[in-house]
């Protein structure tokens, strides 16, 4: 027996390639093409470095309060800071939830085509899992999640398919799983989906996660959150504090509050992304692409004659990075992040050269 036998053997998550040059049009990580709210920049410029002597708030208290207040004004809920957990991006939030909640020996369930970090955490944390197949149109059948399980995770909208489900789906899912914790990963919800945040007041076993990375243009700052019953949030806090008591630094907390406070800017950039998405979907469909209606800031596209790999490589040569996976079921699909109108025009031109 060698010490090598005891090393952890996991396949890490592979993120979209990070270009070496600024000329590249980067449409491969579902980042937002617009800058964060002006108040975020002002807050960072104003930030007093002297304050870094002191530890930040242990539980990002000012940000939890701001998030609860905003969600209440949107949803008519009565959430308090006790309903909000904050972490370093929703990846950190989700990993904390997996640790806190998925400790039975029953398999947790998530779709076969979904965010590829879920199986990575399961491998890392030794959580058994099963992946019910989405149908040929990449739709999730809620009945696949009615059997015995150790928990359920569904992104709404799903990634990389871009397809969302309605609140009836979420209610049915939670009502059939009274003995499990159900996580709805709403990383892309602000691009037109129906958020389940208000349902967390009714269902104590429902956790909703969201992020500042997509609709708030702050992927580089790493802020994510979970909304759920005080009991779920308390357990997540205990896990976090058992290995990392100060997850967000002072700049993150202040900049996060500044972003939340500018609702108008948030709405206007999201509206721009959605308008570009609708236009580009039509134009790509006219060029022979099959694309489900997207509820996100990306498209899940397949061409009727060209292979995904061929298109991916051609665009790459033109300095446009999109996402392609050589994986079962999705190897002929491309995931294209919505950029600015100018960036998408460049993409359309490059595609036309091939078609
Ligand atoms: N959930 C889904 C479905 C995602 O696509 C992503 C982004 N890769 C995340 C969560 C995590 O995003 P972040 O950690 O930047 O909040």
């Amino acid at each position: 027996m060698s010490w090598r036998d005891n090393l952890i053997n996991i396949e890490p998550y592979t993120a979209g390639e990070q270009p070496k040059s600024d000329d590249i049009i980067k449409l491969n990580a579902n980042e937002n093409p617009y800058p964060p709210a002006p108040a975020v920049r002002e807050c960072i410029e104003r930030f007093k470095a002297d304050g870094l002597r002191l530890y930040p708030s242990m539980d990002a208290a000012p940000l939890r309060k701001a998030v609860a207040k905003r969600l209440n004004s949107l949803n008519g809920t009565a959430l308090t800071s006790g309903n909000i957990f904050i972490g370093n991006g929703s990846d950190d939030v989700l990993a904390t939830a997996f640790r806190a909640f998925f400790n039975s020996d029953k398999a947790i369930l998530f779709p076969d085509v979904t965010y590829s970090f879920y199986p990575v955490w399961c491998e890392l944390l030794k959580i058994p899992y099963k992946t019910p197949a989405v149908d040929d149109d990449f739709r999730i059948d809620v009945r696949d999640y009615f059997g015995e399980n150790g928990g359920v995770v569904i992104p709404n909208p799903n990634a990389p398919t871009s397809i969302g489900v309605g609140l009836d789906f979420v209610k049915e899912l939670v009502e059939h799983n009274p003995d499990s914790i159900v996580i709805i990963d709403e990383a892309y919800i602000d691009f037109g989906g129906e958020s389940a945040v208000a349902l967390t007041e009714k269902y104590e076993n429902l956790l909703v996660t969201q992020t500042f990375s997509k609709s708030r243009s702050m992927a580089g700052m790493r802020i994510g959150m979970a909304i759920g019953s005080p009991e779920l949030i308390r357990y997540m806090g205990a896990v976090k504090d058992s290995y990392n008591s100060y997850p967000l630094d002072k700049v993150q907390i202040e900049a996060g509050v500044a972003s939340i406070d500018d609702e108008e800017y948030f709405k206007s950039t999201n509206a721009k992304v959605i308008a570009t998405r609708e236009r580009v979907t039509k134009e790509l469909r006219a060029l022979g692409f099959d694309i489900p209606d997207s509820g996100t800031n990306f498209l899940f596209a397949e061409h009727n004659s060209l292979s995904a790999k061929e298109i991916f490589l051609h665009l790459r040569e033109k300095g446009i990075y999109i996402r392609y996976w050589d994986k079962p079921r999705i190897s002929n699909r491309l995931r294209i992040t919505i950029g600015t109108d100018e960036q998408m025009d460049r993409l359309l031109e490059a595609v036309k050269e091939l078609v």
Side-chain angles (χ1 to χ4, degrees), residues 13 89-91 94 115 118 155 159 185 187-188 211 213-214 222-223:
Y13 172 78
S90 50
D91 281 342
L94 285 159
Y115 185 34
Y118 304 153
D185 174 354
Y188 300 100
T211 178
S213 298
K214 316 294 178 183
R222 315 304 302 129
I223 307 177

Side-chain angles (χ1 to χ4, degrees), residues 67-206:
V67 164
K69 187 169 154 222
R70 172 180 179 268
L71 289 175
N72 290 339
S73 75
L74 279 183
N75 299 291
T77 43
L79 302 168
T80 68
S81 297
N83 296 98
I84 315 291
F85 177 91
I86 301 281
N88 277 295
S90 50
D91 281 342
D92 177 40
V93 173
L94 285 159
T96 306
F98 273 46
R99 279 193 186 192
F101 305 147
F102 300 152
N103 296 297
S104 79
D105 46 17
K106 292 180 207 148
I108 72 159
L109 306 177
F110 47 82
D112 63 336
V113 178
T114 195
Y115 185 34
S116 46
F117 232 130
Y118 304 153
V120 175
W121 290 317
C122 286
E123 299 292 338
L124 182 67
L125 301 169
K126 302 193 188 332
I127 299 168
Y129 65 99
K130 284 194 190 135
T131 57
V134 294
D135 71 14
D136 290 342
D137 295 324
F138 300 100
R139 294 194 181 269
I140 302 170
D141 187 337
V142 72
R143 290 166 301 184
D144 290 342
Y145 298 82
F146 290 176
E148 203 186 42
N149 62 67
V152 178
V153 189
I154 307 256
N156 184 32
N158 194 8
T161 67
S162 79
I163 301 171
V165 293
L167 286 189
D168 287 348
F169 177 106
V170 179
K171 276 188 209 154
E172 220 184 331
L173 177 65
V174 181
E175 283 178 5
H176 277 87
N177 282 285
D179 299 325
S180 300
I181 290 172
V182 173
I183 301 181
I184 303 292
D185 174 354
E186 294 190 348
Y188 300 100
I189 199 69
D190 298 322
F191 300 106
E194 267 189 289
S195 173
V197 161
L199 295 180
T200 63
E201 286 197 319
K202 182 167 176 200
Y203 301 108
E204 287 186 319
N205 57 330
L206 172 65

Side-chain angles (χ1 to χ4, degrees), residues 21-38:
S21 127
D22 287 345
D23 304 335
I24 301 293
I25 297 182
K26 188 171 185 300
L27 307 174
N28 66 354
N30 299 341
E31 291 146 329
N32 198 307
Y34 302 107

Side-chain angles (χ1 to χ4, degrees), residues 202-354:
K202 182 167 176 200
Y203 301 108
E204 287 186 319
N205 57 330
L206 172 65
L207 189 87
V208 172
T209 62
Q210 295 188 353
T211 178
F212 282 50
S213 298
K214 316 294 178 183
S215 55
R216 294 190 175 277
S217 308
M218 291 170 77
M221 190 148 241
R222 315 304 302 129
I223 307 177
M225 59 199 181
I227 303 101
S229 60
E231 191 177 2
L232 296 188
I233 299 301
R234 226 177 16 253
Y235 275 88
M236 290 178 69
V239 168
K240 172 183 82 66
D241 292 339
S242 67
Y243 75 99
N244 176 6
S245 347
Y246 301 96
L248 259 67
D249 65 42
K250 288 190 166 214
V251 184
Q252 284 172 296
I253 295 172
E254 285 189 24
V257 172
S259 169
I260 290 286
D261 284 348
D262 198 340
E263 188 69 19
E264 282 313 306
Y265 182 85
F266 169 81
K267 282 194 194 141
S268 74
T269 48
N270 289 347
K272 280 202 273 188
V273 170
I274 291 170
T276 307
R277 176 186 78 201
E278 297 306 297
R279 171 177 79 85
V280 175
T281 302
K282 276 200 203 109
E283 298 199 30
L284 286 173
R285 281 178 182 159
L287 292 170
F289 282 90
D290 173 68
I291 304 176
D293 288 336
S294 167
T296 63
N297 66 339
F298 59 87
L299 304 177
F300 190 52
E302 176 175 53
H303 195 259
N304 59 19
S305 61
L306 299 165
S307 78
K309 189 168 183 184
E310 195 178 349
I311 302 169
F312 167 77
L313 291 174
H314 174 75
L315 292 180
R316 197 171 186 289
E317 216 177 275
K318 296 273 160 186
I320 304 169
Y321 287 12
I322 59 172
R323 200 78 205 262
Y324 157 77
W325 295 272
D326 193 4
K327 272 194 190 169
R329 300 204 71 185
I330 59 168
S331 61
N332 209 29
R333 288 267 162 185
L334 296 164
R335 193 194 68 190
I336 307 170
T337 303
I338 301 299
T340 61
D341 276 312
E342 297 71 43
Q343 291 176 323
M344 299 319 279
D345 287 341
R346 293 261 303 273
L347 173 125
L348 287 164
E349 270 166 42
V351 168
K352 281 179 196 156
E353 292 167 3
L354 271 185

